[in-house]
Each structure stands twice: as C-alpha cells, then as structure tokens.
Amino acid sequence: MNYWGVISSTIGGIFGFQGGYYEGASDARWARGFNAQRSRRADEEILQDLPALRDRSNDIYRNNALGRGVINTDRTNVIGRGMRLNADIDREYLKKILGMSDDGIDDYADEWEQNTERRWKIFTESEEFDVERRLNFYEATDLAYLTHLRYGDSFAVIIDHPRVGSDFNLRVRLINPVLCGNPMGRINTRLQRDGIRLNENDEPVSYYFRNYDYTYTEIPAHDVNGRKQVLHMLDPEFIGQSRGLPLITSVMRKIFKTDEYSEYELDAASVMGAFTAFITSASGEVPKSPIVSNRQSTNTPANRIEDDFALAPGAILGLRPDEKVEFANPTRPNTAYAEFYRAQIREIGMATGIPYEILA
C-alpha cells in the first residue's frame, strides 16, 4: 500500500484538498507494479547510486556489443571530425568603432579572420594543446565526450604552462571523473557535493581531485582574473544536479538482458549447428563412436573397420538389421529473434535519443 499517498490524501482532505483526478496517481491494481520512490532533491537521488551506475556503464562498454554500439554511435554522430573555426567578425560594429571605410573594414576583417583561423589551426592540431603532450584538440574533445557518455560527466583543467618553442601558454589536462570526490571520504553536505565545493548560491567554487598517493588537490573553479579554470562537462537532467548520469542509465537492464538473449541464441545456434547422427539399435547394444575411433586410429584391422562408420561426403554406411540412422532436427536460428532484437534497439534508441536507423 502507498502509505505516503494515504497520509497525503488524509491531510489534503482535512484542509479541503482532494486528489483522484489523475489516473497516473491512482492506487489501482495496475499501479502496484511501480517501484517509484518519493521525489527528492537531484543530488539526494543521484549521488548515492552514481558509483554503481558508473561501474555498470563501464562494464557494458567493455563487454557488451549493443551497449558499446549505443555509446559509440552517439559519440561518432556528435563529435564527427570535430569542431572547426569559421571566423566571422562583425564588420558593421568594427566600422562604427574604428571609423573606417567599407573597403578598409573589409580588408582589415579578412586579414584578421585569416590570421585567427591560422593560429587556431596551429594551436588545435598540435599535441602541445595537451599538458601531457599526448592529444591534440580534436582527440581530446573526442575522449572528453566519450568519458562524459560512459561516466556521466568529465573534467578538464585549464593550465597556463609556457614551453620553449611553443607560441601558446594555454594547456589542457583531462581528468577522469571518478577522481573528483570529497577528501578523506567526507560525507556530502549542503556546500560539499561529491568533490564540488559550492557557495550559498550553489555556484561551484572549487573542485577536489584525488592524486596517485590518495591525497587531494583543490583547484578553484575560476582563476584570479575570473576566467574558468575547471571545465565540467555534463548534461543536467534535474534542477540542482551536481554530477552527471551515464548515457545508458535508464536502459542498462534492457541492454544487458538483450545482449544476454543474443548470446543465448548464439550458443543455441552453435550447438544445433553441430550436425549429429544417432544410430538406434533394437538390441540395445551401443556401437562405438566413429569420431572417437578416428582420433585414436591405429593400423590394427579392428580400428580400420571402425573407421568405416565415420561420416563422409557420399559415404554409404552399412548397418545391422536392427539398426537405423536418425538425425537431429536443428531449430535454430530462431525466426523471431531478428524482429525481437530490432524492437529492443528501437526502445533503446528512443531512450537515448538516437534514431533507430542510425543506431542499427
């Protein structure tokens, strides 16, 4: 029984408020299958379950073909070849503040756009973009988005790090989201939520990241000039949400069970694909297996006679009068399997926002 609903209805009745106008809120028999929990603040609902969701999402990505396909399809269609800069300066605004002629503004703007795109290309196509000198801008973007899909969010720290021979001091370090957490296992509080310290307006003030020696480093959200120092990538689904949810959160069970069903069908087809013949005998005497005799074949006359029972193309087997040959009747592949699998992909595509034609 929904005790909370009964209490709410009783209180509502006392103060003149009545329910029962929405069928979705009824206590009818059909509604008893709901496992609905009482709604709470976003972080109260999410943060306790988030470690298990991350672990299962990662396991599905590693070992589940369907789940990996869902994540990589989203990644490929969103990131593609990566972002390209197409500089387009506001010529009218420039003409107003610089007081130049139309021809002069066009020449100035064209030159500025070309130089900006050139410098952007140098910056993004070099591994100097990465503080670890492993990724360029496009590779880092792809990895950051993949991490966001698998874990629910991802982090990047902006670093001012001059290097000899480099025209730029700006560097980026990607950080695994599981390293963002409360120091020393502290519990979540009003202003400290899973590695994010907030102010009274719920604005992130700083982030705590775990080091290799299990100490924690606090990095301010903004530098002394007010520029962002930590980039936190997530798609919030609730008001007041601090950390993100993996892409496949709502369809984890469906993906897992569908892949499991696919494995069962594969195993069944593999077993039934082994074409088997049975020799039945009215006398009850069990003949020796030709397969075993072939594997243990010797030059003795007895074993050469047993070899005659082996199945071979166009072979004619001689049987005793009380023996006959029967063959197993394979029932695989299951004709309903393909349509059932497609139906599951459609539902998974609806939940993740990926059209069936793209996902399949």
Side-chain angles (χ1 to χ4, degrees), residues 47-331:
L47 296 183
Q48 286 296 109
D49 292 340
L50 193 53
L53 292 173
R54 287 183 188 139
D55 291 343
R56 292 172 185 176
S57 175
N58 265 321
D59 181 70
I60 287 175
Y61 184 78
R62 294 188 196 105
N63 303 304
N64 187 303
L66 178 57
R68 189 181 185 94
V70 170
I71 292 173
N72 280 335
T73 298
D74 189 286
R75 165 197 183 186
T76 301
N77 285 276
V78 170
I79 299 299
R81 297 177 61 187
M83 294 181 288
R84 294 291 190 272
L85 176 63
N86 182 18
D88 186 13
I89 197 168
D90 189 342
R91 284 166 164 76
E92 291 300 322
Y93 181 74
L94 276 182
K95 185 167 66 173
K96 184 181 298 185
I97 64 174
L98 296 179
M100 299 173 64
S101 64
D102 289 343
D103 292 339
I105 283 293
D106 287 338
D107 293 340
Y108 176 85
D110 289 341
E111 183 180 359
W112 184 90
E113 289 170 356
Q114 292 173 4
N115 288 336
T116 301
E117 290 180 6
R118 184 182 302 110
R119 290 175 65 81
W120 168 261
K121 186 174 182 180
I122 294 172
F123 175 66
T124 56
E125 294 184 356
S126 170
E127 292 179 353
E128 295 293 334
F129 167 87
D130 181 13
V131 73
E132 298 177 359
R133 284 179 169 168
R134 296 181 180 179
L135 307 171
N136 62 29
F137 169 80
Y138 302 103
E139 293 167 338
T141 304
D142 186 61
L143 180 56
Y145 189 70
L146 174 61
T147 303
H148 155 71
L149 295 177
R150 291 171 60 184
Y151 291 89
D153 52 10
S154 59
F155 293 91
V157 177
I158 307 298
I159 300 173
D160 186 14
H161 182 65
R163 281 180 179 154
V164 176
S166 176
D167 294 334
F168 306 97
N169 296 341
L170 179 67
R171 316 282 174 224
V172 172
R173 180 193 295 276
L174 299 182
I175 299 182
N176 191 318
V178 300
L179 299 179
C180 182
N182 295 338
M184 307 301 293
R186 297 173 190 167
I187 63 173
N188 291 314
T189 63
R190 163 73 176 81
L191 301 179
Q192 181 79 43
R193 302 182 196 172
D194 206 20
I196 304 175
R197 188 162 66 87
L198 309 171
N199 62 17
E200 292 296 333
N201 294 323
D202 289 340
E203 176 190 0
V205 174
S206 61
Y207 298 81
Y208 292 91
F209 296 106
R210 191 176 74 237
N211 303 311
Y212 282 101
D213 58 357
Y214 287 87
T215 59
Y216 281 80
T217 298
E218 182 179 6
I219 301 179
H222 300 83
D223 63 15
V224 293
N225 297 314
R227 294 179 300 184
K228 270 198 171 185
Q229 195 165 237
V230 178
L231 303 180
H232 184 193
M233 290 152 277
L234 79 159
D235 290 328
E237 301 177 14
F238 306 94
I239 296 173
Q241 180 178 342
S242 298
R243 302 297 302 270
L245 291 164
L247 172 68
I248 59 174
T249 294
S250 63
V251 288
M252 264 183 204
R253 182 177 182 273
K254 185 173 289 291
I255 289 176
F256 179 82
K257 299 299 287 186
T258 301
D259 189 73
E260 189 177 50
Y261 169 65
S262 179
E263 291 293 331
Y264 290 157
E265 285 293 330
L266 178 62
D267 291 341
S270 177
V271 170
M272 299 307 296
F275 192 72
T276 305
F278 301 91
I279 299 178
T280 60
S281 172
S283 64
E285 182 181 353
V286 180
K288 293 182 179 179
S289 170
I291 298 176
V292 173
S293 68
N294 282 339
R295 292 177 179 172
Q296 299 176 347
S297 178
T298 63
N299 290 326
T300 61
N303 278 328
R304 283 200 296 272
I305 293 174
E306 288 181 1
D307 285 348
D308 292 339
F309 283 93
L311 296 177
I316 298 176
L317 303 180
L319 303 175
R320 290 197 290 262
D322 63 341
E323 293 178 345
K324 63 180 180 178
V325 177
E326 293 182 357
F327 296 96
N329 181 25
T331 59

Side-chain angles (χ1 to χ4, degrees), residues 1-19 25 27 38:
M1 179 180 290
N2 185 351
Y3 293 102
W4 177 252
V6 173
I7 295 171
S8 299
S9 299
T10 303
I11 296 174
I14 293 173
F15 290 98
F17 299 101
Q18 297 295 329
D27 289 327
R38 183 184 173 190

Side-chain angles (χ1 to χ4, degrees), residues 333-358:
N334 182 0
T335 55
Y337 165 73
E339 185 55 40
F340 176 81
Y341 196 80
R342 283 194 290 267
Q344 301 309 305
I345 292 179
R346 287 190 184 96
E347 292 187 23
I348 292 168
M350 286 189 294
T352 55
I354 306 174
Y356 165 76
E357 294 76 13
I358 295 177

